[in-house]
Amino acid sequence: MNKILQTENLGKVYRVGKIDIHAVRGVNLNIEKGEFVSIVGPSGCGKSTLLHLMGGMAKPTTGRVFIEGINLAKINDSERAKIRREKIGFVFQRFNLFSALNSQQNLEIAMQIGCNGSVDHQRIKEIMRLVGLENKLYHKPLELSMGEQQRVAIARALINNPLLILADEPTGNLDSANSYKVLYLLKDLNRNLGQTIILITHNQEASKIADRKIEMKDGMIIFPS
Ligand SMILES: Nc1ncnc2c1ncn2[C@@H]1O[C@H](COP(=O)(O)OP(=O)(O)OP(=O)(O)O)[C@@H](O)[C@H]1O
Ligand SMILES: [Mg+2]
């Protein structure tokens, strides 16, 4: 199946006191297998909200999200959680690694959650090699550079062989040299493994790494128009 993710007229309104905030408005997207797509736009334009809707972490106010043709609104919370666990790898600006655990242990936990409790150390080694950190298996997050921590977080996102990687500002906490490494790692994963990736960023320069760019403003897609 080539269709990985579709959104139809997707919208999200937050209510704060008596004020409605239209964070996402009428977004139609179609992401196919093997694509590397960036979603770029200024702070507050609704990128993270859109990512949360696409990942089934938030419920839309209007419209629908389909993952491999499954309408996320038509399944229950535990089925949605299963899709999140098994099909989507998340990467965030603040790596979200467990600080008391080393790289291998962080990946073990992700593997146990995704694969019914089983752990495959060979697979962990292979994925750590893929992100260029095969010699950092036993380092805890604070014993790694920021760029290395993000690469462990990317390894974690990949560990269960996800259908889709959703990355929200993965270079937001990194200097330019490390940003470059992380962006090119994503590029390699897309090119060499055919990994489908959606990269969210406010940085126009970073967005160019993707093969297809989508621009957002005020909750809407303004490019392509
Ligand atoms: N939980 C929430 N409750 C109320 N308003 C929210 C909530 N989350 C986001 N918003 C508002 O929705 C709008 C979109 O926010 P969002 O976080 O999606 O933007 P963003 O494009 O990811 O911004 P940034 O680049 O700064 O991360 C903003 O006006 C924000 O203040
Ligand atoms: Mg955001």
Side-chain angles (χ1 to χ4, degrees):
M1 189 191 299
N2 283 331
K3 285 186 181 298
I4 293 217
L5 182 144
Q6 284 80 44
T7 73
E8 265 179 25
N9 189 33
L10 195 60
K12 178 77 177 178
V13 180
Y14 296 112
R15 180 146 255 233
V16 180
K18 288 187 176 162
I19 297 172
D20 281 343
I21 298 164
H22 294 262
V24 171
R25 302 196 266 181
V27 166
N28 295 301
L29 281 178
N30 181 21
I31 309 292
E32 303 218 344
K33 192 167 171 54
E35 280 202 287
F36 187 1
V37 176
S38 62
I39 299 178
V40 64
S43 178
C45 76
K47 303 181 298 295
S48 295
T49 303
L50 176 60
L51 180 131
H52 290 144
L53 295 171
M54 293 189 297
M57 292 185 286
K59 288 191 179 164
T61 313
T62 61
R64 302 184 290 180
V65 177
F66 298 87
I67 293 190
E68 284 190 315
I70 296 170
N71 180 348
L72 294 189
K74 293 274 186 228
I75 55 179
N76 64 34
D77 287 350
S78 72
E79 288 165 329
R80 247 192 319 276
K82 187 167 153 56
I83 287 186
R84 261 202 315 272
R85 270 197 322 270
E86 294 180 356
K87 304 224 180 253
I88 304 179
F90 292 95
V91 181
F92 298 106
Q93 178 170 352
R94 297 188 191 138
F95 329 128
N96 297 354
L97 297 168
F98 290 108
S99 57
L101 305 182
N102 67 33
S103 306
Q104 176 173 275
Q105 291 164 328
N106 267 284
L107 296 188
E108 279 173 12
I109 292 206
M111 212 171 205
Q112 282 166 334
I113 292 170
C115 299
N116 307 319
S118 67
V119 164
D120 175 351
H121 282 122
Q122 198 51 41
R123 166 104 182 132
I124 290 177
K125 266 193 202 142
E126 276 164 25
I127 295 288
M128 285 292 279
R129 192 174 310 126
L130 203 61
V131 302
L133 294 175
E134 63 272 36
N135 56 346
K136 301 285 164 83
L137 272 170
Y138 306 112
H139 288 236
K140 292 179 182 168
L142 290 177
E143 297 161 352
L144 296 165
S145 75
M146 304 274 264
E148 287 169 343
Q149 287 181 57
Q150 189 59 300
R151 278 146 64 203
V152 173
I154 291 171
R156 177 184 56 190
L158 288 167
I159 197 78
N160 296 319
N161 199 15
L163 181 73
L164 172 67
I165 295 261
L166 289 177
D168 191 356
E169 299 280 2
T171 59
N173 274 351
L174 303 180
D175 62 22
S176 61
N178 277 309
S179 296
Y180 186 83
K181 277 191 194 165
V182 160
L183 293 172
Y184 275 88
L185 171 59
L186 294 175
K187 186 84 182 168
D188 282 347
L189 294 171
N190 172 255
R191 274 206 194 132
N192 302 337
L193 304 181
Q195 177 66 56
T196 313
I197 301 174
I198 301 179
L199 165 68
I200 283 189
T201 177
H202 68 274
N203 184 319
Q204 287 285 349
E205 210 42 49
S207 73
K208 291 181 188 160
I209 197 82
D211 300 317
R212 175 153 77 98
K213 183 165 92 166
I214 292 168
E215 286 197 47
M216 270 183 94
K217 193 181 171 199
D218 300 333
M220 292 182 286
I221 291 179
I222 56 164
F223 177 85
S225 53

PDB file of all heavy atoms in Angstrom, residues 14 16 21 23 41-50 168-169 202, ligand 1:
ATOM      1  N   TYR A  14      -8.650  25.326  19.871  1.00  0.00           N
ATOM      2  CA  TYR A  14      -8.463  25.284  21.325  1.00  0.00           C
ATOM      3  C   TYR A  14      -9.320  26.387  21.915  1.00  0.00           C
ATOM      4  O   TYR A  14      -9.384  27.488  21.377  1.00  0.00           O
ATOM      5  CB  TYR A  14      -7.007  25.580  21.708  1.00  0.00           C
ATOM      6  CG  TYR A  14      -5.983  24.578  21.242  1.00  0.00           C
ATOM      7  CD1 TYR A  14      -5.044  24.925  20.276  1.00  0.00           C
ATOM      8  CD2 TYR A  14      -5.909  23.318  21.811  1.00  0.00           C
ATOM      9  CE1 TYR A  14      -4.059  24.024  19.870  1.00  0.00           C
ATOM     10  CE2 TYR A  14      -4.929  22.408  21.412  1.00  0.00           C
ATOM     11  CZ  TYR A  14      -4.014  22.776  20.444  1.00  0.00           C
ATOM     12  OH  TYR A  14      -3.038  21.886  20.058  1.00  0.00           O
ATOM     13  N   VAL A  16      -9.579  28.803  25.077  1.00  0.00           N
ATOM     14  CA  VAL A  16      -8.897  29.310  26.271  1.00  0.00           C
ATOM     15  C   VAL A  16      -9.786  30.399  26.854  1.00  0.00           C
ATOM     16  O   VAL A  16      -9.951  31.456  26.254  1.00  0.00           O
ATOM     17  CB  VAL A  16      -7.498  29.864  25.939  1.00  0.00           C
ATOM     18  CG1 VAL A  16      -6.820  30.386  27.191  1.00  0.00           C
ATOM     19  CG2 VAL A  16      -6.629  28.785  25.292  1.00  0.00           C
ATOM     20  N   ILE A  21      -9.134  29.509  19.683  1.00  0.00           N
ATOM     21  CA  ILE A  21      -7.900  29.630  18.891  1.00  0.00           C
ATOM     22  C   ILE A  21      -7.946  28.578  17.791  1.00  0.00           C
ATOM     23  O   ILE A  21      -7.949  27.367  18.066  1.00  0.00           O
ATOM     24  CB  ILE A  21      -6.657  29.425  19.783  1.00  0.00           C
ATOM     25  CG1 ILE A  21      -6.620  30.523  20.847  1.00  0.00           C
ATOM     26  CG2 ILE A  21      -5.380  29.424  18.959  1.00  0.00           C
ATOM     27  CD1 ILE A  21      -5.694  30.229  21.990  1.00  0.00           C
ATOM     28  N   ALA A  23      -6.115  26.714  15.687  1.00  0.00           N
ATOM     29  CA  ALA A  23      -4.691  26.362  15.532  1.00  0.00           C
ATOM     30  C   ALA A  23      -4.419  25.701  14.183  1.00  0.00           C
ATOM     31  O   ALA A  23      -3.376  25.924  13.577  1.00  0.00           O
ATOM     32  CB  ALA A  23      -4.260  25.443  16.673  1.00  0.00           C
ATOM     33  N   GLY A  41       6.881  26.720   8.821  1.00  0.00           N
ATOM     34  CA  GLY A  41       6.072  27.912   9.062  1.00  0.00           C
ATOM     35  C   GLY A  41       6.500  28.559  10.358  1.00  0.00           C
ATOM     36  O   GLY A  41       7.185  27.931  11.175  1.00  0.00           O
ATOM     37  N   PRO A  42       6.085  29.801  10.592  1.00  0.00           N
ATOM     38  CA  PRO A  42       6.534  30.530  11.777  1.00  0.00           C
ATOM     39  C   PRO A  42       5.972  29.968  13.081  1.00  0.00           C
ATOM     40  O   PRO A  42       4.999  29.209  13.065  1.00  0.00           O
ATOM     41  CB  PRO A  42       6.012  31.954  11.533  1.00  0.00           C
ATOM     42  CG  PRO A  42       4.897  31.811  10.561  1.00  0.00           C
ATOM     43  CD  PRO A  42       5.196  30.604   9.735  1.00  0.00           C
ATOM     44  N   SER A  43       6.592  30.354  14.181  1.00  0.00           N
ATOM     45  CA  SER A  43       6.143  29.933  15.504  1.00  0.00           C
ATOM     46  C   SER A  43       4.657  30.260  15.682  1.00  0.00           C
ATOM     47  O   SER A  43       4.215  31.354  15.339  1.00  0.00           O
ATOM     48  CB  SER A  43       6.987  30.669  16.545  1.00  0.00           C
ATOM     49  OG  SER A  43       6.553  30.315  17.820  1.00  0.00           O
ATOM     50  N   GLY A  44       3.919  29.277  16.198  1.00  0.00           N
ATOM     51  CA  GLY A  44       2.505  29.495  16.491  1.00  0.00           C
ATOM     52  C   GLY A  44       1.569  29.258  15.318  1.00  0.00           C
ATOM     53  O   GLY A  44       0.346  29.410  15.452  1.00  0.00           O
ATOM     54  N   CYS A  45       2.114  28.827  14.168  1.00  0.00           N
ATOM     55  CA  CYS A  45       1.245  28.661  12.988  1.00  0.00           C
ATOM     56  C   CYS A  45       0.484  27.336  13.005  1.00  0.00           C
ATOM     57  O   CYS A  45      -0.337  27.091  12.119  1.00  0.00           O
ATOM     58  CB  CYS A  45       2.030  28.822  11.695  1.00  0.00           C
ATOM     59  SG  CYS A  45       3.049  27.386  11.288  1.00  0.00           S
ATOM     60  N   GLY A  46       0.762  26.474  13.986  1.00  0.00           N
ATOM     61  CA  GLY A  46      -0.032  25.248  14.107  1.00  0.00           C
ATOM     62  C   GLY A  46       0.681  23.964  13.733  1.00  0.00           C
ATOM     63  O   GLY A  46       0.060  22.900  13.671  1.00  0.00           O
ATOM     64  N   LYS A  47       2.011  24.027  13.574  1.00  0.00           N
ATOM     65  CA  LYS A  47       2.750  22.845  13.119  1.00  0.00           C
ATOM     66  C   LYS A  47       2.665  21.692  14.123  1.00  0.00           C
ATOM     67  O   LYS A  47       2.380  20.560  13.748  1.00  0.00           O
ATOM     68  CB  LYS A  47       4.233  23.205  12.883  1.00  0.00           C
ATOM     69  CG  LYS A  47       4.447  24.326  11.899  1.00  0.00           C
ATOM     70  CD  LYS A  47       5.926  24.619  11.693  1.00  0.00           C
ATOM     71  CE  LYS A  47       6.660  25.072  12.949  1.00  0.00           C
ATOM     72  NZ  LYS A  47       6.210  26.383  13.487  1.00  0.00           N
ATOM     73  N   SER A  48       2.948  22.000  15.400  1.00  0.00           N
ATOM     74  CA  SER A  48       2.944  20.913  16.397  1.00  0.00           C
ATOM     75  C   SER A  48       1.536  20.373  16.598  1.00  0.00           C
ATOM     76  O   SER A  48       1.347  19.163  16.782  1.00  0.00           O
ATOM     77  CB  SER A  48       3.496  21.404  17.737  1.00  0.00           C
ATOM     78  OG  SER A  48       4.851  21.745  17.605  1.00  0.00           O
ATOM     79  N   THR A  49       0.560  21.268  16.546  1.00  0.00           N
ATOM     80  CA  THR A  49      -0.827  20.807  16.672  1.00  0.00           C
ATOM     81  C   THR A  49      -1.154  19.848  15.534  1.00  0.00           C
ATOM     82  O   THR A  49      -1.737  18.774  15.761  1.00  0.00           O
ATOM     83  CB  THR A  49      -1.791  22.015  16.658  1.00  0.00           C
ATOM     84  OG1 THR A  49      -1.418  22.896  17.717  1.00  0.00           O
ATOM     85  CG2 THR A  49      -3.224  21.576  16.831  1.00  0.00           C
ATOM     86  N   LEU A  50      -0.734  20.199  14.332  1.00  0.00           N
ATOM     87  CA  LEU A  50      -0.966  19.318  13.181  1.00  0.00           C
ATOM     88  C   LEU A  50      -0.271  17.972  13.395  1.00  0.00           C
ATOM     89  O   LEU A  50      -0.855  16.914  13.126  1.00  0.00           O
ATOM     90  CB  LEU A  50      -0.466  20.010  11.902  1.00  0.00           C
ATOM     91  CG  LEU A  50      -0.550  19.196  10.611  1.00  0.00           C
ATOM     92  CD1 LEU A  50      -1.990  18.787  10.302  1.00  0.00           C
ATOM     93  CD2 LEU A  50       0.029  19.997   9.435  1.00  0.00           C
ATOM     94  N   ASP A 168       9.337  16.663  15.158  1.00  0.00           N
ATOM     95  CA  ASP A 168       8.897  18.034  15.461  1.00  0.00           C
ATOM     96  C   ASP A 168      10.100  18.857  15.927  1.00  0.00           C
ATOM     97  O   ASP A 168      10.573  18.673  17.045  1.00  0.00           O
ATOM     98  CB  ASP A 168       7.824  17.990  16.546  1.00  0.00           C
ATOM     99  CG  ASP A 168       7.129  19.338  16.711  1.00  0.00           C
ATOM    100  OD1 ASP A 168       7.531  20.315  16.042  1.00  0.00           O
ATOM    101  OD2 ASP A 168       6.185  19.420  17.523  1.00  0.00           O
ATOM    102  N   GLU A 169      10.593  19.731  15.082  1.00  0.00           N
ATOM    103  CA  GLU A 169      11.747  20.590  15.383  1.00  0.00           C
ATOM    104  C   GLU A 169      12.936  19.775  15.912  1.00  0.00           C
ATOM    105  O   GLU A 169      13.493  20.112  16.966  1.00  0.00           O
ATOM    106  CB  GLU A 169      11.386  21.665  16.426  1.00  0.00           C
ATOM    107  CG  GLU A 169      10.298  22.614  16.012  1.00  0.00           C
ATOM    108  CD  GLU A 169      10.762  23.729  15.078  1.00  0.00           C
ATOM    109  OE1 GLU A 169      11.947  23.750  14.701  1.00  0.00           O
ATOM    110  OE2 GLU A 169       9.916  24.558  14.730  1.00  0.00           O
ATOM    111  N   HIS A 202      10.556  25.409  11.907  1.00  0.00           N
ATOM    112  CA  HIS A 202      10.261  26.814  11.588  1.00  0.00           C
ATOM    113  C   HIS A 202      11.372  27.381  10.705  1.00  0.00           C
ATOM    114  O   HIS A 202      11.306  28.521  10.270  1.00  0.00           O
ATOM    115  CB  HIS A 202      10.121  27.648  12.874  1.00  0.00           C
ATOM    116  CG  HIS A 202      11.420  27.783  13.602  1.00  0.00           C
ATOM    117  ND1 HIS A 202      11.856  26.836  14.501  1.00  0.00           N
ATOM    118  CD2 HIS A 202      12.390  28.710  13.527  1.00  0.00           C
ATOM    119  CE1 HIS A 202      13.045  27.187  14.939  1.00  0.00           C
ATOM    120  NE2 HIS A 202      13.398  28.321  14.370  1.00  0.00           N
TER     121      HIS A 202
HETATM  122  N1  LIG B   1      -2.964  23.145  24.447  1.00  0.00           N
HETATM  123  C1  LIG B   1      -3.227  24.334  23.916  1.00  0.00           C
HETATM  124  N2  LIG B   1      -4.232  25.116  24.401  1.00  0.00           N
HETATM  125  C2  LIG B   1      -4.522  26.303  23.847  1.00  0.00           C
HETATM  126  N3  LIG B   1      -3.858  26.836  22.801  1.00  0.00           N
HETATM  127  C3  LIG B   1      -2.855  26.117  22.285  1.00  0.00           C
HETATM  128  C4  LIG B   1      -2.480  24.843  22.815  1.00  0.00           C
HETATM  129  N4  LIG B   1      -1.437  24.379  22.087  1.00  0.00           N
HETATM  130  C5  LIG B   1      -1.174  25.308  21.145  1.00  0.00           C
HETATM  131  N5  LIG B   1      -2.023  26.354  21.263  1.00  0.00           N
HETATM  132  C6  LIG B   1      -2.067  27.533  20.385  1.00  0.00           C
HETATM  133  O1  LIG B   1      -2.314  27.065  19.063  1.00  0.00           O
HETATM  134  C7  LIG B   1      -1.533  27.773  18.115  1.00  0.00           C
HETATM  135  C8  LIG B   1      -0.637  26.804  17.372  1.00  0.00           C
HETATM  136  O2  LIG B   1       0.314  26.279  18.272  1.00  0.00           O
HETATM  137  P1  LIG B   1       1.406  25.186  17.833  1.00  0.00           P
HETATM  138  O3  LIG B   1       2.111  24.753  19.054  1.00  0.00           O
HETATM  139  O4  LIG B   1       0.715  24.138  17.042  1.00  0.00           O
HETATM  140  O5  LIG B   1       2.350  26.070  16.884  1.00  0.00           O
HETATM  141  P2  LIG B   1       3.778  25.727  16.246  1.00  0.00           P
HETATM  142  O6  LIG B   1       3.687  26.105  14.797  1.00  0.00           O
HETATM  143  O7  LIG B   1       4.174  24.345  16.570  1.00  0.00           O
HETATM  144  O8  LIG B   1       4.743  26.765  16.976  1.00  0.00           O
HETATM  145  P3  LIG B   1       6.322  26.616  17.362  1.00  0.00           P
HETATM  146  O9  LIG B   1       7.104  26.776  16.058  1.00  0.00           O
HETATM  147  O10 LIG B   1       6.558  27.757  18.300  1.00  0.00           O
HETATM  148  O11 LIG B   1       6.522  25.281  17.991  1.00  0.00           O
HETATM  149  C9  LIG B   1      -0.788  28.844  18.894  1.00  0.00           C
HETATM  150  O12 LIG B   1      -1.539  30.036  18.833  1.00  0.00           O
HETATM  151  C10 LIG B   1      -0.772  28.298  20.303  1.00  0.00           C
HETATM  152  O13 LIG B   1      -0.721  29.350  21.244  1.00  0.00           O
END
